Amino acid sequence: MTRPGLIALVTGSRRGIGLGIARRLASEGWHVVLSARSPEADQVLAEFHGAGWSAEYIPCDIADAGMREALLAAISERHGRLDLLVNNAGIAPRVRADLLDLSPESFDELIRVNTRGPLFLTQAAARAMLAWKRAGLENYQPRIVFITSVSADVVSTSRGDYCISKSGLSMVARLFAVRLASEGIPVFELRPGIIDTDMTAAVHDRYQTLIDDGLTPVPRFGQPGDVAAAVSALASGAFDFATGQIINIDGGLTIGRL
Ligand code: NAI
C-alpha cells in the first residue's frame, strides 16, 4: 500500500531502530521526516533519495524544548499535517552502574531524553493533530507510536535509570492513548527486546552468550526491521481499535518460563 501525501516523523532516525522504521515507511510511500541530534544526515538522505523515497532531515535534540518546537513548526509550515509520530529517540546510560551507585546526573539525563522529551513532543504534536482534525483536513487519520523497551517492565539493576525512564514513558503512552481515544487518535507502545544496533554494540558479546543460552525463545538478536514491521502494521490502521496496547517485539524474551 502506498501513502502519497502522508507525513511521518520518526525521532532518532539517523541510525538503528529509527532508521529501520524510516526506511520501511519511506519504502511504503510515506514522506518521512527524519530527525536526530546531529546537524546533518546527508548520507542517510542520499540513500533515501537514491532509492526514490521521499524524505527530509530536521535536526532536533529531543531534550531541547526550543528544538522540539522548531521541528513541529517546520513540519507544519512545509506540510500542514503530521499523520504519524514515532517517538523512537532514546539513550542508554553512559555508564552501567549498579543501582547502589546510580548517580543523580545519569538519572536526570535519562529522564530528560527518554521520558520528558517524548512527553512534551507528543503533547505539542497532539495539539497540532487535533487542530488539523478539527479544521477538517482531508484524509486525515493521525496516529502515535512510542518505542519504549522491555526494560519498562523487566528489571536490570545495572541500569535502573534506563528502566525507570522507559517505565515512565510507557505510562506516557497509555496516558495519551486514553486522552486521545475519544478524539480518534490511536496511540500504541512497542517494546523492543534485544536489538542489534549501536546501543547494544558494547554488550553485544554478552547478549549473544545469553541468547545462545536460551534467554530468548527465538534464538537471535532482533533487527531494526523487526520493529519497523510492527510500526508499519500499526500505521496501516489495522489495529486502531486496539489503542493503548503494548506489543513486545522481543523474540519471546518476556514470556514467563519455568
Ligand atoms: P541507537 O543509539 O542506535 O540510535 C538512537 C538514535 O536516537 C540515534 O539516531 C540518535 O542520534 C538518536 N538520539 C539519541 N539521543 C537523542 C536526543 N537527545 N535527541 C534526538 N535524537 C537522539 O539506539 P537504538 O538501539 O536504535 O534505539 C532506538 C530506541 O529504541 C531507543 O529509544 C531505545 O531506548 C529503544 N530500544 C532499543 C533497544 C535495543 O536493544 N537496541 C531495546 C529496547 C528499546
Side-chain angles (χ1 to χ4, degrees), residues 27-83:
S27 74
E28 292 173 349
W30 290 79
H31 174 82
V32 179
V33 179
L34 297 141
S35 185
R37 256 178 320 190
S38 232
E40 53 79 28
D42 294 348
Q43 246 181 310
V44 174
L45 277 184
E47 177 208 323
F48 275 59
H49 294 151
W53 299 339
S54 181
E56 71 196 284
Y57 180 77
I58 304 176
C60 174
D61 179 342
I62 204 73
D64 182 311
M67 292 188 90
R68 290 194 303 264
E69 198 179 313
L71 170 63
L72 289 178
I75 291 171
S76 178
E77 207 169 285
R78 292 177 202 174
H79 305 289
R81 64 192 293 148
L82 177 60
D83 300 273

Side-chain angles (χ1 to χ4, degrees), residues 37-258:
R37 256 178 320 190
S38 232
E40 53 79 28
D42 294 348
Q43 246 181 310
V44 174
L45 277 184
E47 177 208 323
F48 275 59
H49 294 151
W53 299 339
S54 181
E56 71 196 284
Y57 180 77
I58 304 176
C60 174
D61 179 342
I62 204 73
D64 182 311
M67 292 188 90
R68 290 194 303 264
E69 198 179 313
L71 170 63
L72 289 178
I75 291 171
S76 178
E77 207 169 285
R78 292 177 202 174
H79 305 289
R81 64 192 293 148
L82 177 60
D83 300 273
L84 177 67
L85 167 61
V86 183
N87 286 296
N88 166 79
I91 52 170
R94 290 169 198 267
V95 184
R96 285 184 174 230
D98 180 78
L99 190 60
L100 301 183
D101 301 316
L102 170 62
S103 73
E105 293 75 22
S106 181
F107 177 82
D108 288 349
E109 183 181 31
L110 274 271
I111 294 292
R112 227 176 14 249
V113 175
N114 290 356
T115 318
R116 196 172 181 275
L119 160 60
F120 287 104
L121 179 70
T122 302
Q123 182 195 62
R127 284 185 187 147
M129 286 170 170
L130 287 175
W132 284 316
K133 256 184 156 256
R134 287 174 186 149
L137 195 64
E138 205 182 320
N139 185 27
Y140 193 55
Q141 174 51 74
R143 299 180 180 89
I144 299 171
V145 177
F146 287 86
I147 308 297
T148 65
S149 169
V150 291
S151 299
D153 188 48
V154 174
V155 167
S156 297
T157 53
S158 62
R159 45 192 188 116
D161 41 8
Y162 183 76
C163 296
I164 294 166
S165 72
K166 290 296 188 177
S167 185
L169 187 61
S170 172
M171 179 52 77
V172 171
R174 273 169 288 158
L175 283 162
F176 277 107
V178 172
R179 176 61 186 82
L180 298 176
S182 62
E183 314 273 8
I185 302 180
V187 179
F188 304 97
E189 176 185 350
L190 296 181
R191 290 184 176 173
I194 301 172
I195 312 294
D196 194 8
T197 68
D198 287 354
M199 185 177 275
T200 48
V203 282
H204 188 278
D205 292 351
R206 194 166 76 80
Y207 279 149
Q208 186 64 63
T209 304
L210 290 171
I211 291 168
D212 292 344
D213 289 345
L215 177 69
T216 53
V218 181
R220 65 166 175 87
F221 270 82
Q223 296 298 325
D226 293 314
V227 183
V231 172
S232 163
L234 295 173
S236 76
F239 293 91
D240 283 356
F241 196 57
T243 188
Q245 288 305 303
I246 299 165
I247 304 173
N248 292 294
I249 315 287
D250 65 353
L253 170 69
T254 49
I255 301 171
R257 280 165 291 161
L258 189 60

